[in-house]
Structure formats: structure tokens, C-alpha cells
Amino acid sequence: MTRDIDRRKFLKAGLAGMAVGGVSLPAAVKGAAESSKKIREFHFTAYPASVGLGNGPEFKAWTYNGKIPGPEIRVKEGEIIRVVLKNELPEPTTIHWHGIPLQNAMDGVPGVTQDPVPPKGTFTYEFVAKPAGTFFYHSHCGYQLDQGLYGLLVIEPARERLSYDQEYSLMLEDWVMKDHGGIARIMRRPPLGPRNRNFMDGRVMGGDKKLGEKEPLLEPYYDSYAVNGKIVPAIDPIRVKKGDLVRLRIVNASSATNYDLRLANHELFITHTDGNPVRPQQVDILRIGMGERYDVAFRANKPGRWLLAARDTGLGESQIRIPVIYDGISQGKSIPPMFWPNFEVSTVYDLEALEPVGPPEQKKDQYFRQVLQWASEIPHWTINGYGYPKTENLTVRKGEWAHIEYYNHSPMPHPMHLHGHFFRIVNLNMSPEYWIKKDTFLFDAHETVHVEFLADNPGRWFHHCHNLYHMVDGMANEVVYKQT
Ligand code: C2O
Ligand code: CU
């Protein structure tokens, strides 16, 4: 798609005018915002609690403050987030602030940036909320993410670029409605996805294994897919008025599910990815990998009752259906979107940064190659043939650009996530200052992708596949800084 067409579509949808060009604050305002540094304090207790997903059985999940998802953190850019974590779980735990380039000691990776917080222990996380955007937080210990330990984290900008009439946050979650969620003793998916159901038949019966064995778990067969802790038909509707500009902050907090999303009868525009603003881009079907975030906007100009549907890309049916209901339309069935095969699935190569990132050219003298691969022995999921902690680290020098070539030599997609930095996706169709910034990127099966990042945040940073089962299995390494 050319930029002109996108621009025209955007005008048509009535979102134009506010879309292009940055809003720069007067220096005085900026100064004030910087110096205020208000502390926002939150108290989280992690403990097992009985929960339900609005429909279906109650079961025991691992929670922050007894809820799934955990409490929402919503602050202004530049404020200080302080979270006092108390661990009432039977196991050690940590919290990771996914996507935020904070100081290393607060990153929450056990054995890498901190000792895990033992049962009955406490730990205080404190960091500056920067930059603005849609983030989330989650435990970084073992399979705890898939047991319920995660929540939304939104950093609002000092000044919003578009003025939205409505804003909703949608956290997409895959669930097993049994005690302990995804690690419950249930059937496991074969490692190479549903299409290879027969390939590893012996191991599919992972449900018979005793938990706590050293062998990593395979992905579960999920029995439910939730939005903000609720499944169909209990999912809270999105309520709009005709003419509203609606923003949706979409977070994929799932442990082992990628989704395709589509909204019936409205044009959806991507406005941000992983918190970073992009030139608004219309999408037919939005694909979102584990750990990724997309902010999208639509103009409510078709009164009625509709559905925003999301389907597991591996299964192909819409397990998640969110009603979109206009004011005054109280009757009738909600109309689902169609997923026609000729619809385009969104790709990051259609996106460009809203504002140029400069200076684009700097010496890039660190090159890495990361081959993502399946092995038939344990670890199954490897980088360059090894599983963490045997994988090689990526050693960078402060102030230099690091360039990574990823080769996905496996038949599965992998959402690769880098802590502590945003990387830029090399896109030969546009000039480098418009390459988008992300912290998690869904690599398609057999895809090759190049990214680069500025090594500007010293420490030890985890770098891994955000499919939790692949991560625990070994698809991880660390970015470390060379001492100078
Ligand atoms: Cu969302 Cu290493 O994590
Ligand atoms: Cu993976």
C-alpha cells in the first residue's frame, strides 16, 4: 500500500488532521513535567485464589491481589512507579515490566537481574514511567505467567496526540480452567502445532507427567480464551456513540497463543505498536503475537451491534467475541466479522514510525546471527543450537548499534522479545529513520528478519521467545554489555 492511499483512507474514516506530525510541547511545560516526579505507589500481594472467568467453573489461579488480570497500573509519563510486592505463593516469584526500558536492577528476571522473592518475602520495584505507551507486567518465574500473574500497565503521555472519545483496554489470555491454569495435568499440544498432531504422539500425553519433573512442559490444550479475565458470553462489551473515535489498547498476555483480530463493518487503524506511535495504518486483520501490543482506533460510524473477534491462529475459529454496542441499540444479535481468505493480515512492514528517529546513521559494528530452531531432544527450542543457559550471549558495547539477523528455521512462529531496549525493524522499503520500534516481534515460520538496536542501557538483559513454553524450554539468551 502506498502512503497516499493510506492517507486517503484515514481521511475517509475521519481520523485525519490529528494524525500527522508531532505535537511538541513548549520547553517550559516539558521542564515542569520532568521535575514533578510524582510517586505512584501500588501494593501487590501474589497468592493463589479462587477465580472464575465469568462463565464456567471456579478454579485456583495464581493472582495479584486475588484478581485476574492483576490490578491495572495507569500513570502519567515521567511519574515514578513504585510497586511493593509481597509473595504469598508457595514458590519464589518476581515481576517483569514488559517493554519498559528501565534500569537493569528493576527488570525482574530471576537469576539475571535479581534473586527471586522467596515465599513470605517482599521486594520493592521502583522506576520512572517512560516512555508513554501500552505495556503489561507479569511474573518472570517458570510458568507463573500461565497461572494468572499478569496485568495491564498504561503510561499516558503528557499530551495525547488524538482526542479519543472512548478508550478500552483488551488483554487477551489463554486459559485452562483447572487449578493452576496452564500447568494443570492435562493433555499437551504436540510441539509442532496442531497440523503435526501425529508427529510426536508419545509426548502429547504430557498430562500424565508429574509436575515438578525436570523435563519442560509442552504447551497445553487451552479450554478457554478470555478478555480481561472473562470468556464468552461474559466478556464486557465496548459501548460507543455514533461519531465516537474509539481507542483500543490490545495486549496479548497469552502464554502460547497468537491471535488474528477483526472488527465487523468498521475500518480499524493501527496507531501504535508496543507503545510506539506509527503512521495510522488501516488493517483488515490484525495479527498479534504473545507479548506484543497494538493500539488501534476506529470511528464509530455504523450504528448497530457488532463483534470484534479474535481467533487462535493455530485453530482458526473465533474463540473471543467482544460485543461492540452503539448507544440506543438495545435489541438484536451482534454481527460477527468475516475472515475471508483474501483479507490481508497485518504485517509490520506496512508500518512506519510517526516521527523520524534520528540520527539514522551511526556506526554499526556488532553483528549477530540468531537461528531459531527445533531439536528433537531436550531442549526442543533452541537458539543457534543451544538452550538457555547454554546459549551464547550477545555481547554489546555501550553507545554502539547492534544488528541481529534472525533466521526462523522452524515450522512455528516465535515472538522474540528483548528486555531493556526497543529494536528497530529493518525495512528495505523505506528510509531508515522511519523504521518502527518494537520490543517483541512475531517471526513467522521460516522467516528471516533483521533488527537493530542502540546499546544504551547497560546491564544483563533477557532475550527470548515469548511463548512461555519455548522460553522455559530454553529459547533464550542474554544481551550483556562489555566492560570498557
Ligand atoms: Cu514479557 Cu522476558 O518477558
Ligand atoms: Cu518460540
Side-chain angles (χ1 to χ4, degrees):
M1 265 184 196
T2 73
R3 185 187 283 195
D4 281 355
I5 291 171
D6 299 338
R7 169 91 184 136
R8 212 176 314 124
K9 282 203 165 172
F10 205 62
L11 281 163
K12 211 176 95 210
L15 310 183
M18 300 165 278
V20 182
V23 180
S24 49
L25 293 175
V29 177
K30 260 187 199 158
E34 272 308 307
S35 62
S36 65
K37 298 264 188 226
K38 193 165 145 205
I39 295 177
R40 302 285 307 277
E41 189 169 301
F42 302 84
H43 291 259
F44 285 12
T45 304
Y47 63 95
S50 210
V51 300
L53 300 175
N55 190 47
E58 290 241 319
F59 59 96
K60 196 152 276 172
W62 286 20
T63 70
Y64 295 116
N65 299 356
K67 288 186 267 203
I68 46 165
E72 175 176 322
I73 295 179
R74 187 176 276 264
V75 301
K76 285 253 177 318
E77 187 172 11
E79 289 180 340
I80 291 173
I81 296 176
R82 178 187 290 162
V83 177
V84 183
L85 168 67
K86 186 159 196 337
N87 184 6
E88 296 289 347
L89 298 167
E91 280 175 20
T93 194
T94 62
I95 305 179
H96 168 58
W97 314 94
H98 180 110
I100 300 179
L102 36 58
Q103 70 271 33
N104 196 235
M106 293 292 125
D107 198 43
V109 182
V112 177
T113 67
Q114 69 171 101
D115 291 331
V117 187
K120 300 282 169 213
T122 61
F123 188 89
T124 301
Y125 292 94
E126 188 168 312
F127 52 92
V128 181
K130 215 167 72 175
T134 303
F135 301 94
F136 72 123
Y137 61 85
H138 61 80
S139 163
H140 217 294
C141 290
Y143 298 106
Q144 293 178 3
L145 167 66
D146 210 17
Q147 297 179 264
L149 292 173
Y150 53 81
L152 182 71
L153 199 171
V154 172
I155 303 177
E156 295 177 338
R159 197 170 152 201
E160 196 62 75
R161 207 178 291 273
L162 292 169
S163 78
Y164 298 98
D165 302 298
Q166 306 278 351
E167 181 180 317
Y168 285 85
S169 306
L170 307 173
M171 217 170 213
L172 311 178
E173 312 148 44
D174 45 14
W175 272 106
V176 173
M177 292 191 286
K178 294 221 163 57
D179 287 352
H180 312 300
I183 68 162
R185 294 179 60 177
I186 52 154
M187 287 278 283
R188 301 272 144 192
R189 289 204 241 200
L192 296 179
R195 262 178 235 103
N196 297 285
R197 213 173 274 270
N198 300 319
F199 181 73
M200 295 287 295
D201 44 345
R203 293 183 203 226
V204 180
M205 306 302 291
D208 294 325
K209 269 183 217 153
K210 285 202 194 64
L211 294 177
E213 268 183 33
K214 275 282 156 273
E215 194 166 311
L217 286 171
L218 298 175
E219 297 171 29
Y221 276 112
Y222 293 102
D223 58 23
S224 50
Y225 297 82
V227 177
N228 304 335
K230 292 188 178 155
I231 57 173
V232 172
I235 294 175
D236 293 323
I238 293 168
R239 296 191 181 277
V240 302
K241 286 189 300 298
K242 183 162 192 250
D244 280 353
L245 180 59
V246 184
R247 175 190 206 154
L248 307 177
R249 295 178 184 266
I250 305 172
V251 178
N252 186 355
S254 301
S255 293
T257 308
N258 301 311
Y259 299 92
D260 281 342
L261 280 97
R262 183 166 164 80
L263 170 60
N265 210 22
H266 292 74
E267 286 195 321
L268 213 52
F269 291 84
I270 296 176
T271 61
H272 301 71
T273 180
D274 296 351
N276 298 294
V278 297
R279 177 180 286 272
Q281 169 72 44
Q282 193 258 330
V283 279
D284 289 343
I285 294 173
L286 175 70
R287 177 158 295 178
I288 181 165
M290 299 147 240
E292 287 188 301
R293 289 90 62 213
Y294 279 97
D295 291 19
V296 298
F298 70 93
R299 180 67 77 183
N301 49 14
K302 299 274 175 53
R305 294 169 72 97
W306 311 99
L307 291 174
L308 170 60
R311 56 189 204 174
D312 178 333
T313 56
L315 298 177
E317 53 187 282
S318 301
Q319 301 87 354
I320 290 179
R321 299 184 295 279
I322 307 162
V324 175
I325 302 175
Y326 280 69
D327 255 20
I329 317 272
S330 54
Q331 298 292 313
K333 223 175 151 260
S334 300
I335 297 172
M338 293 301 173
F339 284 86
W340 298 120
N342 61 325
F343 285 159
E344 267 182 58
V345 175
S346 61
T347 130
V348 295
Y349 294 105
D350 285 342
L351 302 179
E352 62 182 275
L354 189 57
E355 284 171 57
V357 184
E361 276 325 315
Q362 241 172 305
K363 205 167 144 245
K364 303 183 187 96
D365 49 3
Q366 300 171 96
Y367 289 84
F368 304 98
R369 161 189 287 251
Q370 301 279 274
V371 180
L372 312 176
Q373 227 165 356
W374 155 259
S376 51
E377 66 284 357
I378 290 168
H380 295 304
W381 293 110
T382 61
I383 302 177
N384 294 353
Y386 294 95
Y388 190 79
K390 291 197 181 125
T391 35
E392 12 173 39
N393 291 335
L394 309 180
T395 305
V396 300
R397 278 182 296 265
K398 183 161 190 258
E400 292 181 353
W401 285 87
H403 193 100
I404 308 179
E405 298 179 4
Y406 290 94
Y407 297 88
N408 184 358
H409 284 188
S410 81
M412 269 188 95
H414 300 282
M416 296 300 292
H417 173 49
L418 172 62
H419 287 212
H421 307 75
F422 290 108
F423 49 74
R424 304 179 67 216
I425 295 174
V426 173
N427 184 346
L428 299 177
N429 298 323
M430 65 180 67
S431 81
E433 66 267 33
Y434 289 99
W435 293 351
I436 58 166
K437 290 197 282 185
K438 282 177 73 61
D439 53 67
T440 311
F441 178 65
L442 183 63
F443 289 80
D444 223 336
H446 302 292
E447 194 180 16
T448 295
V449 173
H450 294 196
V451 308
E452 58 178 38
F453 69 91
L454 180 62
D456 61 355
N457 194 6
R460 285 174 67 189
W461 299 102
F462 217 44
H463 168 242
H464 61 93
C465 177
H466 217 278
N467 179 311
L468 188 66
Y469 293 82
H470 298 186
M471 181 192 87
V472 176
D473 186 59
M475 200 170 229
N477 58 16
E478 293 174 34
V479 167
V480 298
Y481 279 67
K482 197 174 219 133
Q483 306 295 346
T484 40

